[in-house]
Amino acid sequence: MKVKFVYLVLTVFSIILIAGCSKKLVIENASEVDSHEDVKAAAWEFLNEKGWQDRAKDDFESAKVEKVNADSKYVLLDQTYDGKELLEVSFEDVDNAVTGTPLILVDSNTNEVVGYMPSE
């Protein structure tokens, strides 16, 4: 009888532990997605300032964001970001575009555009 009680307690403890960890993961992913909306908006505003918005489809919500290290392939607006981890925002190009939409580099702490990579 005592062995069954120990197994029951271990099972309940394991279920609570697993459920607690999985819920935390969902919360972390949700906050990360929310923070990317500001990054996408900043990149879209930069495209509009440069007159490049006609190369990308109109909705910035569909843009993709990933972490990259800034290096010589990017045109940096501030050289202090050279070699640092930044967020790269890529937009979907319009159909039959002669020149693609540049990749935009955004500082994840300030949501400021700090560079871009011209497309071909």
Side-chain angles (χ1 to χ4, degrees):
M1 188 70 159
K2 189 174 184 180
V3 173
K4 287 183 181 180
F5 181 73
V6 170
Y7 284 137
L8 177 66
V9 169
L10 287 175
T11 302
V12 170
F13 178 73
S14 298
I15 290 172
I16 291 172
L17 182 65
I18 291 170
C21 290
S22 65
K23 189 172 183 175
K24 183 178 178 183
L25 179 64
V26 171
I27 292 170
E28 288 174 1
N29 288 341
S31 66
E32 186 174 317
V33 169
D34 291 342
S35 67
H36 289 323
E37 292 303 315
D38 292 339
V39 170
K40 292 176 186 179
W44 183 255
E45 184 178 327
F46 182 76
L47 285 180
N48 285 320
E49 289 173 6
K50 293 292 187 181
W52 297 332
Q53 73 279 1
D54 59 334
R55 301 179 191 178
K57 292 198 175 178
D58 282 336
D59 61 342
F60 70 87
E61 289 87 10
S62 65
K64 293 181 176 70
V65 179
E66 62 183 78
K67 292 180 182 180
V68 296
N69 286 324
D71 57 20
S72 62
K73 65 183 177 184
Y74 296 99
V75 175
L76 295 175
L77 305 175
D78 183 351
Q79 294 302 318
T80 60
Y81 288 99
D82 191 21
K84 300 219 173 147
E85 185 176 87
L86 301 169
L87 296 176
E88 178 186 78
V89 182
S90 61
F91 295 95
E92 187 176 346
D93 294 334
V94 294
D95 297 332
N96 301 323
V98 176
T99 307
T101 309
L103 301 174
I104 309 298
L105 288 179
V106 179
D107 182 351
S108 60
N109 297 325
T110 63
N111 291 336
E112 289 184 40
V113 174
V114 297
Y116 61 94
M117 179 192 295
S119 62
E120 298 178 359

